Amino acid sequence: MAVDAGPSGEAPAGRLAGRWVPWLVIGLWLVLAAGMVPLSGKLSSVTTDSAVDTLPANAESTKVAVLEDSLPDGDSNTFVFVYHRAGGLTDADQATVERQYTTLAKRYPPKATAAGEDDEGSPTSPSTDGEAMMFTLEVSTVYGEPEALVGPLRDATKDRPSGLDLDVTGPGAIDGDMDAVFDGIDVQVLLTTIVVVTLLLILTYRSPVLWLIPLMAVGAAALTAMATVYLLVKGFGIVVNDQNSALLTILVFGVGTDYALLLIARYREALHHHENVRVAMVHALRCAAPAIVASAATVVAGLLCLLVADLNSTSGLGPIGAAGILCALVAMLTLFPAVLVVLGRRIFWPAIPRFSTAVQEKPGVWGRLGTVISRRRWVATLGSVGVLGVLVLGLAGNTGALREQDQFLSAPESVTGFTVLRQHFPELGGQPMTVFTRPAHQEQVLGVVKDTRGVALAIPDQTSGGWAGISVFPKDAPDSVAEYDTIKRVRTAVHAVSGAEAIVGGPSAENLDTEATTERDEKLVIPLVLAVVLIVLGLLLRAILAPLVLMATVIVSFAAAFGGSVFVFDTILGFKGVDSSVPLLAFLFLVALGVDYNIFLASRAREETVRLGTAKGMLKALSATGGVITSAGLVLAATFAVLATLPLVMLIEVGFLVAFGVLLDALLVRSVLVPALTLLIGRRIWWPSRLSRPAAQLPAGQQPLADDEEPALQR
């Protein structure tokens, strides 16, 4: 779209087009980088995946974990050693098990106990089939975290007779293997994302240099975001885990690159109409910035809705993600255009946009698509809805919660060990629970626990600090519905003991509380996100009906993406459920980011409607924004798809679902369904703004076409 020019051929741009402005902006960013870059490297030092930090303080399992930390021996990690030999254990095997237990108990004495202790006090337990022996080891956290412990424990038990196999499992081993997956994940995600974005930018611009400028600006935004999040953690105590840290990188690179693509598209248009590159950039910013700011505001507002969540890792993602989006917004509206202006037109080589007073606008692929949609409005609408409806049917698949043991793409020893444990010790199939009670009531609580259905074994533990512990082993598999039911029954039973003040925790109890908290958060956050995004759309489009239509398409798009993803997870990838955190995260990203593309399209359509009318305005908007929005969708989908390269099912599910949803929204919903609905509804889409009124009621200069006028592209 041409901007009215003055006598000299240049449109008034004011002081923002001064020669010194871009250099001043670059200088300010260099000063900012000097302070922020050192802080960005400290973010990993404040990340935590501790259940105490993740769960809300009022969760029962959190209270148990805090109490364990406060006891003289501190918190501990439970490791389970399962020795097994097909055909039965030999005397030498049994002697090896006894010797290795003694060695480990001496090495880690404060919390070394025998959870399977028999009547004669033996620290080890043989299986009834004679093929296995096991013992548990409680290792205080003073000796290190699970990741640092599990390796030495496995190394210390390598000296075994030939044919005697050992699996080191239990909550501590699972935590250690989980931590190993996240070890170095930030660097891996960052490097992979940079490679993916670089390739996509090179393919998009087919320029040997231009791709480097947005990548440099987004990189500056990412480092600034990491430093900002570090300061937020130190100043306000928000919780940052490894998952949120990885999502921060993905968000900044994906969204920042999208903003770059949109601004470059407007800048390229302006360069055809303005000879001075600074003036062209000012006009490009005037056209693109409102939609970009509205897009950022939508995502930030949606992310900040997470602050009402009870789960600390979820509520922490709100300010973390918002900081990343704001840093990307500022960088792409200041540093990025400043560098482009300094480098001039030659940065677009070999396809340098030339200044011309007569620019020929061609409809291109998106223009031709708009013409087809305009002639087959009902076909386009019903066809799009039909495709989305078929994908929604995938929700009939396995949407059950993913167990912790099923989180690994390739099962480590800690997971396979649980399978072996259940084969030989079916009565000890679950992860141990920890019950704390007042010492005077320990015997009574112990008796109540032993009588609870689903409990295989309950053993009194140490008394310290005014509390007595009880170790409880459920019969059922870890994180199964049956085990969760047992935990609930144990809690109900011990809470009924007057004066005991008993509380129940442990790894599975923490997972149960996490799942329950996530369900509460979904019921609170999802409606709030919808309301906030709807308000932002209403303010941007100055209408009521258009935001409602756009929100409806985004919600249907999310349901279709979720259904299609569940089908892939269940049928093709063979995942055993969906992680409890995935639906809320995917909903947030797909609604907020999905609305982004509708904002870019609808805001341009409203701009063109003032000149051309609703029908031609929408088709012109589709023609002008189709290519850049599709490119932006591909970039954002590719950055989220980076998560699918990691060996953890939850991250694969988030990455695939969001990537698939973004592509679905960019290629079908925004490209076909929204234009078709707009053409069907006509000028009433802008109700109750003045653009929804008949032409006779509009001010001079605003002459929308009649609803029944055949739309066609302006050539």
Side-chain angles (χ1 to χ4, degrees), residues 479-489 508-509 511-512 515:
D479 293 323
S480 63
V481 173
E483 189 199 34
Y484 284 170
D485 288 341
T486 298
I487 295 172
K488 294 174 184 177
R489 286 193 293 267
S508 289
N511 295 337
L512 172 61
E515 189 174 312

Side-chain angles (χ1 to χ4, degrees), residues 142-332:
V142 298
Y143 293 107
E145 294 302 319
E147 184 181 5
L149 290 170
V150 67
L153 287 173
R154 287 168 176 160
D155 291 338
T157 51
K158 285 184 176 180
D159 183 17
R160 303 186 304 274
S162 177
L164 178 62
D165 296 320
L166 168 64
D167 290 295
V168 180
T169 182
I174 289 179
D175 288 345
D177 289 335
M178 185 74 76
D179 291 341
V181 170
F182 281 105
D183 190 27
I185 190 174
D186 289 342
V187 175
Q188 181 180 349
V189 169
L190 179 61
L191 294 178
T192 307
T193 304
I194 289 175
V195 171
V196 169
V197 172
T198 299
L199 291 175
L200 288 173
L201 287 173
I202 292 175
L203 292 174
T204 299
Y205 293 121
R206 295 183 293 276
S207 168
V209 182
L210 181 58
W211 62 270
L212 186 60
I213 310 306
L215 189 64
M216 176 272 298
V218 174
L223 292 175
T224 305
M226 293 176 187
T228 303
V229 171
Y230 171 77
L231 294 175
L232 288 175
V233 173
K234 301 298 288 185
F236 299 95
I238 63 173
V239 175
V240 183
N241 58 16
D242 290 306
Q243 169 190 308
N244 290 350
S245 180
L247 288 174
L248 172 66
T249 301
I250 295 294
L251 274 176
V252 173
F253 271 87
V255 173
T257 306
D258 277 5
Y259 297 161
L261 292 171
L262 291 165
L263 184 58
I264 286 178
R266 282 287 194 165
Y267 181 46
R268 191 191 292 271
E269 285 184 36
L271 286 174
H272 287 298
H273 301 286
H274 304 282
E275 188 171 8
N276 188 304
V277 294
R278 296 188 302 277
V279 174
M281 179 57 74
V282 169
H283 285 275
L285 284 170
R286 285 176 178 172
C287 292
I292 293 176
V293 171
S295 165
T298 304
V299 180
V300 168
L303 285 166
L304 291 181
C305 290
L306 293 177
L307 288 172
V308 304
D310 287 332
L311 202 65
N312 292 331
S313 57
T314 301
S315 62
L317 180 59
I320 292 169
I325 297 298
L326 290 175
C327 288
L329 174 68
V330 173
M332 306 320 289

Side-chain angles (χ1 to χ4, degrees), residues 480-690:
S480 63
V481 173
E483 189 199 34
Y484 284 170
D485 288 341
T486 298
I487 295 172
K488 294 174 184 177
R489 286 193 293 267
V490 170
R491 283 177 169 174
T492 300
V494 301
H495 292 168
V497 179
S498 178
E501 301 179 32
I503 50 178
V504 181
S508 289
E510 291 169 357
N511 295 337
L512 172 61
D513 289 341
T514 299
E515 189 174 312
T517 305
T518 301
E519 289 179 1
R520 291 197 301 270
D521 289 345
E522 287 177 358
K523 295 176 182 178
L524 184 62
V525 173
I526 288 177
L528 186 58
V529 170
L530 290 174
V532 168
V533 172
L534 190 61
I535 291 172
V536 173
L537 282 174
L539 294 175
L540 173 69
L541 301 177
R542 286 163 281 177
I544 294 178
L545 184 56
L548 290 173
V549 171
L550 295 180
M551 282 300 298
T553 62
V554 171
I555 293 172
V556 173
S557 176
F558 166 73
F562 200 1
S565 297
V566 168
F567 175 80
V568 172
F569 300 156
D570 191 18
T571 306
I572 299 177
L573 299 180
F575 294 162
K576 298 180 180 180
V578 178
D579 187 82
S580 59
S581 65
V582 169
L584 181 57
L585 290 176
F587 176 85
L588 175 69
F589 291 137
L590 287 181
V591 168
L593 297 174
V595 167
D596 267 10
Y597 300 128
N598 284 324
I599 285 176
F600 299 145
L601 176 65
S603 60
R604 182 65 179 260
R606 194 184 193 285
E607 175 186 331
E608 299 294 347
T609 295
V610 175
R611 298 189 307 113
L612 305 173
T614 300
K616 286 188 176 180
M618 172 54 73
L619 295 179
K620 176 61 185 295
L622 178 62
S623 177
T625 65
V628 64
I629 293 179
T630 301
S631 298
L634 290 173
V635 169
L636 189 61
T639 53
F640 268 95
V642 168
L643 294 175
T645 65
L646 303 175
L648 203 63
V649 171
M650 184 273 293
L651 292 177
I652 294 174
E653 289 180 339
V654 171
F656 181 89
L657 204 166
V658 176
F660 178 53
V662 167
L663 290 177
L664 189 65
D665 195 85
L667 299 177
L668 178 64
V669 176
R670 187 270 313 162
S671 301
V672 179
L673 182 57
V674 171
L677 287 173
T678 302
L679 294 174
L680 284 174
I681 297 172
R683 64 171 180 269
R684 290 181 294 275
I685 193 77
W686 307 113
W687 181 84
S689 73
R690 292 183 298 178

Side-chain angles (χ1 to χ4, degrees), residues 112-131:
T113 61
E117 193 170 354
D118 61 22
D119 295 337
E120 300 175 358
S122 173
T124 59
S125 296
S127 63
T128 55
D129 61 11
E131 294 186 350

